[in-house]
Structure formats: structure tokens, C-alpha cells
Amino acid sequence: MKRRVKFKGVDNSGTITAHCGRVGNRIEHRVPTRQVVRYHVYEIEGRRLEVQRIGTTLASDVSPTGMFLSHAELTPGTRIHFYFELPTGYIEAIGKVVHNQHRLDAAGVARPGAGVRFIRMSASDKRRLESYLSGRPTSHRFSEARG
């Protein structure tokens, strides 16, 4: 079930109450996962590239067009460079944060997270990701020449 958390407010005990609902009308099916994602936030100013922040988090779901990064507080519009490992090898991409919202974890606690849309990925990484999502394993190794 796809969930979105909207804060209703803080109750008398200081606890934030949250409302879970659906996140928009998804075009792509999202696959639940628990992939470790390493990322860095960057900013391009003119011809200068500046790394702002480096982090590690978990992806809680992934699709051919994006992923949700659990426990990541990233502002919409932020661009990130990231990579994560699949059984068939690493995926590396550039993404743009499209929303920042909270989701309930297994204990019912609202945790921050960010939805990221992939904006640049190599053709081989895209094929590897699509293969993983469809359940077809694809090796990232090159076949050895026989001779």
C-alpha cells in the first residue's frame, strides 16, 4: 500500500499526529526494497560544482523512474548524485527531489523521507534496474572472450 503522511498537528503530549494516504496517481509501479543508498547533494552555480552534503540512507521503494529515500530530509528541487547496489551490480544516477514527506515506520513513528526522480542514468544501469524490477537477473559482468 502506498502511503503519504500529512501532519495534523501536535497533540497535548507533544506527539505529532499523522495521517496516511496515497501518494498521487503513480504511473510506474514501485517495488518495495531496503537498498542502502549513498548520495551527495550538489549545487551548480555557473560553471562551478559544489558538493553540499554527503549522506547514506535506505531506499524503501524503487521504480524505473525514481525511488523513495527513507530518513532523508531533502528539499524539493535539490539535485543529488547517488548510487546503490543491486544483486547484479551498482546503479549510479543523478536525481531530483520531487517531494519531501513523512512515512510511518513499522513502529508507527512518522519518519522523514524524500521522493527522488531519476534524471540521468547510463543505459546499462537503466537496463540492470529494469531487469531487477521485473525479477529477471542480469549479470553486470562482461563475458570473457574465448580463443
mmCIF file of all heavy atoms in Angstrom, residues 34-61:
data_model
loop_
_atom_site.group_PDB
_atom_site.id
_atom_site.type_symbol
_atom_site.label_atom_id
_atom_site.label_comp_id
_atom_site.label_asym_id
_atom_site.label_seq_id
_atom_site.Cartn_x
_atom_site.Cartn_y
_atom_site.Cartn_z
ATOM 1 N N ARG A 34 14.869 -2.480 0.397
ATOM 2 C CA ARG A 34 15.629 -1.918 1.520
ATOM 3 C C ARG A 34 17.070 -1.816 1.050
ATOM 4 O O ARG A 34 17.949 -2.473 1.566
ATOM 5 C CB ARG A 34 15.508 -2.782 2.769
ATOM 6 C CG ARG A 34 14.079 -2.820 3.259
ATOM 7 C CD ARG A 34 13.808 -2.899 4.710
ATOM 8 N NE ARG A 34 14.785 -2.558 5.668
ATOM 9 C CZ ARG A 34 14.786 -1.422 6.377
ATOM 10 N NH1 ARG A 34 13.879 -0.514 6.152
ATOM 11 N NH2 ARG A 34 15.698 -1.206 7.290
ATOM 12 N N GLN A 35 17.305 -0.997 0.054
ATOM 13 C CA GLN A 35 18.632 -0.803 -0.519
ATOM 14 C C GLN A 35 19.346 0.336 0.188
ATOM 15 O O GLN A 35 18.775 1.401 0.390
ATOM 16 C CB GLN A 35 18.530 -0.463 -2.016
ATOM 17 C CG GLN A 35 17.860 -1.511 -2.851
ATOM 18 C CD GLN A 35 18.639 -2.798 -2.937
ATOM 19 O OE1 GLN A 35 19.854 -2.808 -2.817
ATOM 20 N NE2 GLN A 35 17.940 -3.899 -3.120
ATOM 21 N N VAL A 36 20.611 0.130 0.536
ATOM 22 C CA VAL A 36 21.433 1.203 1.085
ATOM 23 C C VAL A 36 21.793 2.123 -0.077
ATOM 24 O O VAL A 36 22.239 1.663 -1.128
ATOM 25 C CB VAL A 36 22.709 0.652 1.751
ATOM 26 C CG1 VAL A 36 23.635 1.786 2.165
ATOM 27 C CG2 VAL A 36 22.348 -0.216 2.943
ATOM 28 N N VAL A 37 21.565 3.416 0.108
ATOM 29 C CA VAL A 37 21.852 4.407 -0.930
ATOM 30 C C VAL A 37 22.852 5.410 -0.373
ATOM 31 O O VAL A 37 22.646 5.976 0.693
ATOM 32 C CB VAL A 37 20.569 5.160 -1.365
ATOM 33 C CG1 VAL A 37 20.890 6.215 -2.404
ATOM 34 C CG2 VAL A 37 19.525 4.188 -1.876
ATOM 35 N N ARG A 38 23.927 5.622 -1.106
ATOM 36 C CA ARG A 38 24.906 6.655 -0.753
ATOM 37 C C ARG A 38 24.699 7.801 -1.721
ATOM 38 O O ARG A 38 24.583 7.573 -2.925
ATOM 39 C CB ARG A 38 26.317 6.090 -0.828
ATOM 40 C CG ARG A 38 26.555 5.092 0.289
ATOM 41 C CD ARG A 38 27.915 4.438 0.198
ATOM 42 N NE ARG A 38 28.128 3.571 1.335
ATOM 43 C CZ ARG A 38 27.649 2.335 1.442
ATOM 44 N NH1 ARG A 38 26.919 1.837 0.485
ATOM 45 N NH2 ARG A 38 27.888 1.615 2.518
ATOM 46 N N TYR A 39 24.656 9.019 -1.190
ATOM 47 C CA TYR A 39 24.359 10.161 -2.054
ATOM 48 C C TYR A 39 25.163 11.377 -1.630
ATOM 49 O O TYR A 39 25.668 11.466 -0.523
ATOM 50 C CB TYR A 39 22.867 10.489 -2.026
ATOM 51 C CG TYR A 39 22.375 11.010 -0.696
ATOM 52 C CD1 TYR A 39 22.352 12.386 -0.439
ATOM 53 C CD2 TYR A 39 21.933 10.153 0.297
ATOM 54 C CE1 TYR A 39 21.909 12.868 0.776
ATOM 55 C CE2 TYR A 39 21.486 10.631 1.510
ATOM 56 C CZ TYR A 39 21.474 11.989 1.743
ATOM 57 O OH TYR A 39 21.031 12.471 2.947
ATOM 58 N N HIS A 40 25.247 12.320 -2.548
ATOM 59 C CA HIS A 40 25.746 13.644 -2.184
ATOM 60 C C HIS A 40 24.894 14.682 -2.888
ATOM 61 O O HIS A 40 24.464 14.512 -4.027
ATOM 62 C CB HIS A 40 27.253 13.820 -2.445
ATOM 63 C CG HIS A 40 27.669 13.763 -3.875
ATOM 64 N ND1 HIS A 40 28.122 12.629 -4.469
ATOM 65 C CD2 HIS A 40 27.717 14.726 -4.811
ATOM 66 C CE1 HIS A 40 28.442 12.873 -5.712
ATOM 67 N NE2 HIS A 40 28.204 14.139 -5.960
ATOM 68 N N VAL A 41 24.582 15.717 -2.135
ATOM 69 C CA VAL A 41 23.808 16.842 -2.637
ATOM 70 C C VAL A 41 24.791 17.778 -3.311
ATOM 71 O O VAL A 41 25.867 18.031 -2.794
ATOM 72 C CB VAL A 41 23.097 17.576 -1.465
ATOM 73 C CG1 VAL A 41 22.400 18.829 -1.947
ATOM 74 C CG2 VAL A 41 22.125 16.630 -0.761
ATOM 75 N N TYR A 42 24.420 18.264 -4.476
ATOM 76 C CA TYR A 42 25.316 19.194 -5.150
ATOM 77 C C TYR A 42 24.543 20.395 -5.682
ATOM 78 O O TYR A 42 23.335 20.353 -5.850
ATOM 79 C CB TYR A 42 26.097 18.502 -6.274
ATOM 80 C CG TYR A 42 25.260 18.084 -7.462
ATOM 81 C CD1 TYR A 42 25.110 18.936 -8.558
ATOM 82 C CD2 TYR A 42 24.641 16.849 -7.510
ATOM 83 C CE1 TYR A 42 24.355 18.556 -9.647
ATOM 84 C CE2 TYR A 42 23.884 16.468 -8.592
ATOM 85 C CZ TYR A 42 23.757 17.327 -9.669
ATOM 86 O OH TYR A 42 23.008 16.952 -10.744
ATOM 87 N N GLU A 43 25.261 21.444 -5.937
ATOM 88 C CA GLU A 43 24.689 22.667 -6.482
ATOM 89 C C GLU A 43 25.600 23.151 -7.595
ATOM 90 O O GLU A 43 26.822 23.161 -7.464
ATOM 91 C CB GLU A 43 24.600 23.729 -5.386
ATOM 92 C CG GLU A 43 23.865 24.970 -5.821
ATOM 93 C CD GLU A 43 23.666 25.911 -4.652
ATOM 94 O OE1 GLU A 43 23.043 25.494 -3.659
ATOM 95 O OE2 GLU A 43 24.148 27.054 -4.757
ATOM 96 N N ILE A 44 24.997 23.516 -8.705
ATOM 97 C CA ILE A 44 25.754 24.055 -9.827
ATOM 98 C C ILE A 44 25.461 25.543 -9.900
ATOM 99 O O ILE A 44 24.311 25.960 -10.020
ATOM 100 C CB ILE A 44 25.365 23.378 -11.152
ATOM 101 C CG1 ILE A 44 25.637 21.884 -11.070
ATOM 102 C CG2 ILE A 44 26.112 24.014 -12.316
ATOM 103 C CD1 ILE A 44 25.144 21.099 -12.252
ATOM 104 N N GLU A 45 26.511 26.316 -9.789
ATOM 105 C CA GLU A 45 26.389 27.764 -9.863
ATOM 106 C C GLU A 45 27.305 28.232 -10.987
ATOM 107 O O GLU A 45 28.524 28.212 -10.846
ATOM 108 C CB GLU A 45 26.791 28.399 -8.535
ATOM 109 C CG GLU A 45 26.436 29.874 -8.441
ATOM 110 C CD GLU A 45 26.711 30.399 -7.052
ATOM 111 O OE1 GLU A 45 26.181 29.820 -6.085
ATOM 112 O OE2 GLU A 45 27.462 31.382 -6.959
ATOM 113 N N GLY A 46 26.694 28.606 -12.114
ATOM 114 C CA GLY A 46 27.502 28.975 -13.274
ATOM 115 C C GLY A 46 28.265 27.765 -13.758
ATOM 116 O O GLY A 46 27.699 26.733 -14.073
ATOM 117 N N ARG A 47 29.575 27.853 -13.766
ATOM 118 C CA ARG A 47 30.419 26.741 -14.196
ATOM 119 C C ARG A 47 31.045 26.020 -13.009
ATOM 120 O O ARG A 47 31.941 25.211 -13.171
ATOM 121 C CB ARG A 47 31.504 27.269 -15.128
ATOM 122 C CG ARG A 47 30.942 27.804 -16.426
ATOM 123 C CD ARG A 47 32.019 28.409 -17.274
ATOM 124 N NE ARG A 47 33.068 27.451 -17.557
ATOM 125 C CZ ARG A 47 33.348 26.952 -18.736
ATOM 126 N NH1 ARG A 47 32.638 27.342 -19.767
ATOM 127 N NH2 ARG A 47 34.340 26.095 -18.892
ATOM 128 N N ARG A 48 30.584 26.342 -11.808
ATOM 129 C CA ARG A 48 31.140 25.766 -10.594
ATOM 130 C C ARG A 48 30.204 24.712 -9.999
ATOM 131 O O ARG A 48 29.009 24.933 -9.862
ATOM 132 C CB ARG A 48 31.366 26.883 -9.584
ATOM 133 C CG ARG A 48 32.359 26.506 -8.512
ATOM 134 C CD ARG A 48 32.646 27.679 -7.614
ATOM 135 N NE ARG A 48 31.865 27.438 -6.409
ATOM 136 C CZ ARG A 48 31.310 28.363 -5.673
ATOM 137 N NH1 ARG A 48 31.427 29.626 -5.973
ATOM 138 N NH2 ARG A 48 30.635 28.050 -4.596
ATOM 139 N N LEU A 49 30.768 23.561 -9.649
ATOM 140 C CA LEU A 49 30.031 22.488 -8.994
ATOM 141 C C LEU A 49 30.470 22.433 -7.545
ATOM 142 O O LEU A 49 31.657 22.375 -7.250
ATOM 143 C CB LEU A 49 30.335 21.139 -9.671
ATOM 144 C CG LEU A 49 29.767 19.902 -8.985
ATOM 145 C CD1 LEU A 49 28.250 19.871 -9.102
ATOM 146 C CD2 LEU A 49 30.374 18.655 -9.603
ATOM 147 N N GLU A 50 29.508 22.468 -6.636
ATOM 148 C CA GLU A 50 29.831 22.443 -5.211
ATOM 149 C C GLU A 50 29.075 21.319 -4.521
ATOM 150 O O GLU A 50 27.856 21.221 -4.632
ATOM 151 C CB GLU A 50 29.444 23.781 -4.577
ATOM 152 C CG GLU A 50 29.829 23.890 -3.133
ATOM 153 C CD GLU A 50 29.483 25.265 -2.568
ATOM 154 O OE1 GLU A 50 29.627 26.266 -3.278
ATOM 155 O OE2 GLU A 50 29.051 25.293 -1.409
ATOM 156 N N VAL A 51 29.819 20.430 -3.837
ATOM 157 C CA VAL A 51 29.199 19.358 -3.058
ATOM 158 C C VAL A 51 28.765 19.960 -1.731
ATOM 159 O O VAL A 51 29.572 20.516 -0.999
ATOM 160 C CB VAL A 51 30.175 18.183 -2.833
ATOM 161 C CG1 VAL A 51 29.546 17.139 -1.924
ATOM 162 C CG2 VAL A 51 30.575 17.570 -4.160
ATOM 163 N N GLN A 52 27.480 19.856 -1.430
ATOM 164 C CA GLN A 52 26.915 20.469 -0.234
ATOM 165 C C GLN A 52 26.880 19.524 0.961
ATOM 166 O O GLN A 52 27.119 19.921 2.064
ATOM 167 C CB GLN A 52 25.493 20.929 -0.528
ATOM 168 C CG GLN A 52 25.384 21.884 -1.693
ATOM 169 C CD GLN A 52 25.313 23.294 -1.230
ATOM 170 O OE1 GLN A 52 24.587 23.596 -0.302
ATOM 171 N NE2 GLN A 52 26.050 24.170 -1.869
ATOM 172 N N ARG A 53 26.500 18.261 0.712
ATOM 173 C CA ARG A 53 26.305 17.321 1.812
ATOM 174 C C ARG A 53 26.446 15.896 1.285
ATOM 175 O O ARG A 53 26.051 15.605 0.169
ATOM 176 C CB ARG A 53 24.897 17.523 2.373
ATOM 177 C CG ARG A 53 24.631 16.747 3.622
ATOM 178 C CD ARG A 53 23.312 17.172 4.239
ATOM 179 N NE ARG A 53 22.361 16.088 4.078
ATOM 180 C CZ ARG A 53 21.064 16.237 4.048
ATOM 181 N NH1 ARG A 53 20.539 17.418 4.133
ATOM 182 N NH2 ARG A 53 20.273 15.214 3.916
ATOM 183 N N ILE A 54 26.997 15.032 2.096
ATOM 184 C CA ILE A 54 27.136 13.619 1.740
ATOM 185 C C ILE A 54 26.349 12.819 2.761
ATOM 186 O O ILE A 54 26.368 13.130 3.955
ATOM 187 C CB ILE A 54 28.623 13.204 1.745
ATOM 188 C CG1 ILE A 54 29.375 14.013 0.689
ATOM 189 C CG2 ILE A 54 28.774 11.712 1.517
ATOM 190 C CD1 ILE A 54 30.874 13.816 0.713
ATOM 191 N N GLY A 55 25.632 11.796 2.312
ATOM 192 C CA GLY A 55 24.834 11.016 3.244
ATOM 193 C C GLY A 55 24.638 9.584 2.802
ATOM 194 O O GLY A 55 24.922 9.216 1.664
ATOM 195 N N THR A 56 24.136 8.776 3.714
ATOM 196 C CA THR A 56 23.777 7.385 3.460
ATOM 197 C C THR A 56 22.402 7.165 4.062
ATOM 198 O O THR A 56 22.124 7.616 5.175
ATOM 199 C CB THR A 56 24.786 6.421 4.113
ATOM 200 O OG1 THR A 56 26.075 6.695 3.591
ATOM 201 C CG2 THR A 56 24.438 4.978 3.837
ATOM 202 N N THR A 57 21.533 6.490 3.343
ATOM 203 C CA THR A 57 20.186 6.225 3.827
ATOM 204 C C THR A 57 19.681 4.935 3.201
ATOM 205 O O THR A 57 20.432 4.241 2.519
ATOM 206 C CB THR A 57 19.252 7.419 3.524
ATOM 207 O OG1 THR A 57 18.027 7.240 4.218
ATOM 208 C CG2 THR A 57 19.001 7.587 2.039
ATOM 209 N N LEU A 58 18.412 4.613 3.403
ATOM 210 C CA LEU A 58 17.793 3.435 2.799
ATOM 211 C C LEU A 58 16.716 3.859 1.814
ATOM 212 O O LEU A 58 15.952 4.799 2.087
ATOM 213 C CB LEU A 58 17.129 2.556 3.862
ATOM 214 C CG LEU A 58 18.034 1.780 4.796
ATOM 215 C CD1 LEU A 58 17.195 1.080 5.875
ATOM 216 C CD2 LEU A 58 18.831 0.748 4.025
ATOM 217 N N ALA A 59 16.640 3.163 0.702
ATOM 218 C CA ALA A 59 15.517 3.344 -0.223
ATOM 219 C C ALA A 59 14.432 2.367 0.220
ATOM 220 O O ALA A 59 14.709 1.192 0.449
ATOM 221 C CB ALA A 59 15.951 3.044 -1.646
ATOM 222 N N SER A 60 13.211 2.861 0.379
ATOM 223 C CA SER A 60 12.136 1.962 0.799
ATOM 224 C C SER A 60 11.331 1.442 -0.380
ATOM 225 O O SER A 60 10.631 0.448 -0.264
ATOM 226 C CB SER A 60 11.207 2.642 1.798
ATOM 227 O OG SER A 60 10.587 3.758 1.217
ATOM 228 N N ASP A 61 11.418 2.115 -1.543
ATOM 229 C CA ASP A 61 10.818 1.588 -2.758
ATOM 230 C C ASP A 61 11.534 2.189 -3.956
ATOM 231 O O ASP A 61 12.170 3.233 -3.864
ATOM 232 C CB ASP A 61 9.303 1.817 -2.820
ATOM 233 C CG ASP A 61 8.883 3.276 -2.819
ATOM 234 O OD1 ASP A 61 9.450 4.068 -3.587
ATOM 235 O OD2 ASP A 61 7.969 3.621 -2.066
#
